[in-house]
Amino acid sequence: MTFQYIFGPVASSRLGRSLGLDLLGSAICTFDCLYCEVGRTEKLTLERKPYVPAADILAELEAWKRANQDLALDYVTLGGSGEPTLNSEMPAIIDGARRILPGVPVAVLTNSALMTDPEVRAELAHADAVLPSLDSLRPEPLATLNRPNPRLFAGGQQAVNELAEALVTFSKEFAGRLFLEIFLARGLNDSDEDLELFKAYVPRLAPDRVDVVTLSRPGAYAEAQPATAETLQRWREALCPLCATPQDAGPRLGTAPAAHSATRAAAPQAVQDAVHASLKRRPQTATQLSGALDISREHIVSALETLEKQGHIKRRTEQDGEPFYGVRH
């Protein structure tokens, strides 16, 4: 069965085997980040509304569960094509996912832009884990790298400070796990000044984990270039020890994806549909797709070859000796 709003599962270094729920349906976001793997934002907005109704997503999730009774999950993750907190029915989706898949924790990926809204923070508190990103504590790098809606950060440094403080407030209100992600782009937000600001800020935020990452595959804009290995190492050594708890604290959290055997049998067209849907949200290798979708690598490779011949996907730069694939934009 082809799903419109459900994709994956995806193999995540932070969340294990994660089933994705797309709350926007297209590239609708508060940012138009240079590095976005999904591609360029189609609608840059701060308007919250039911872009995809909760009832539609949960109906698909019920159908997915019926078709995948034997597939183990580590998380259900709200993310997809844009910023999930823009969907005003997010709490119903979180609660519905927990009801449909009891025992599977719910995570939300967010760029943090709407954290200054107390209602958004209250809604995010429904989740078991929240993974906010914050790429700088200065307005200039944020404007260059994240390309926000013009109404965001119009107040300059004060607006950025308010966002950072809102995240701290949320961390005190939230009973679940908080994983902070900082994305570094060479020459844009990787200065010593940026690092020093985060060294002072992270202990106040007290996240369970800090992930400092950079570009490993082409982003939406060529201006985004990966930070050097030396820079990444320096930032990680400075920030990761400042977490509230060890990076691998908590069941299934901060660990490599859980080991699941790829044993499911599926018709070739079904495999192609699942692979294409997953690649629409995130470029991946054949090995990553096999482990996440619980389908043998042989069948995944066959599906990739067919989709590539049909022009639906394209092979991209090799990662660790293995090519990864993404959809054609």
Side-chain angles (χ1 to χ4, degrees):
M1 180 177 178
T2 302
F3 298 100
Q4 186 173 359
Y5 306 117
I6 296 177
F7 60 97
V10 171
S12 167
S13 61
R14 294 179 289 178
L15 299 176
R17 179 181 281 164
S18 168
L19 183 68
L21 304 186
D22 185 352
L23 275 61
L24 284 305
S26 59
I28 301 168
C29 197
T30 55
F31 289 169
D32 183 21
C33 295
L34 295 181
Y35 57 80
C36 186
E37 295 176 354
V38 176
R40 302 185 180 190
T41 295
E42 298 167 6
K43 183 176 181 179
L44 189 63
T45 183
L46 301 180
E47 181 185 8
R48 301 192 71 216
K49 64 180 184 179
Y51 290 95
V52 180
D56 293 352
I57 293 175
L58 297 177
E60 277 202 1
L61 189 57
E62 292 272 17
W64 183 92
K65 179 183 179 181
R66 289 194 294 271
N68 296 275
Q69 293 281 355
D70 58 340
L71 183 58
L73 295 173
D74 295 311
Y75 270 91
V76 172
T77 304
L78 279 55
S81 303
E83 172 53 39
T85 60
L86 284 170
N87 192 320
S88 56
E89 295 190 354
M90 180 177 63
I93 296 167
I94 294 173
D95 294 342
R98 191 176 285 117
R99 172 181 55 80
I100 294 168
L101 297 172
V104 180
V106 179
V108 181
L109 306 177
T110 176
N111 62 24
S112 308
L114 300 182
M115 279 286 193
T116 53
D117 184 342
E119 184 175 354
V120 171
R121 295 199 301 269
E123 293 175 3
L124 281 170
H126 286 243
D128 298 291
V130 174
L131 291 76
S133 62
L134 184 62
D135 297 333
S136 180
L137 291 164
R138 298 188 295 130
E140 295 83 2
L142 288 178
T144 302
L145 185 60
N146 298 136
R147 294 166 55 91
N149 179 283
R151 290 164 52 197
L152 284 170
F153 312 133
Q157 187 63 61
Q158 180 179 347
V160 175
N161 292 345
E162 289 173 355
L163 173 59
E165 289 306 310
L167 261 176
V168 172
T169 298
F170 177 73
S171 73
K172 296 175 180 178
E173 300 168 341
F174 184 46
R177 296 287 183 178
L178 188 70
F179 293 170
L180 175 68
E181 179 176 283
I182 303 168
F183 186 100
L184 296 183
R186 190 188 315 160
L188 297 181
N189 66 331
D190 59 349
S191 69
D192 289 341
E193 181 181 0
D194 284 296
L195 177 55
E196 289 303 314
L197 289 171
F198 273 113
K199 285 169 66 175
Y201 175 71
V202 168
R204 296 183 56 239
L205 182 64
D208 295 281
R209 171 172 172 160
V210 177
D211 290 285
V212 182
V213 300
T214 194
L215 214 66
S216 61
R217 52 200 74 169
Y221 296 88
E223 294 94 322
Q225 295 297 315
T228 66
E230 293 78 12
T231 298
L232 282 176
Q233 184 66 20
R234 183 161 51 88
W235 277 64
R236 288 167 178 168
E237 289 177 353
L239 298 181
C240 295
L242 301 178
C243 299
T245 55
Q247 280 191 281
D248 60 354
R252 302 178 185 260
L253 296 178
T255 62
H260 302 286
S261 59
T263 57
R264 288 198 303 163
Q269 186 60 54
V271 177
Q272 291 170 31
D273 290 343
V275 167
H276 190 245
S278 190
L279 293 179
K280 282 171 65 178
R281 275 81 177 191
R282 179 183 181 185
Q284 295 164 80
T285 66
T287 300
Q288 290 170 335
L289 287 162
S290 174
L293 296 173
D294 195 27
I295 297 172
S296 73
R297 194 175 186 282
E298 178 185 1
H299 290 152
I300 292 291
V301 169
S302 177
L304 289 169
E305 290 174 349
T306 299
L307 290 168
E308 189 175 17
K309 288 178 182 177
Q310 293 173 346
H312 296 306
I313 65 172
K314 60 182 178 180
R315 186 188 307 229
R316 300 189 178 182
T317 307
E318 291 196 357
Q319 176 179 300
D320 299 328
E322 184 178 6
F324 63 88
Y325 297 81
V327 298
R328 291 187 178 276
H329 293 293

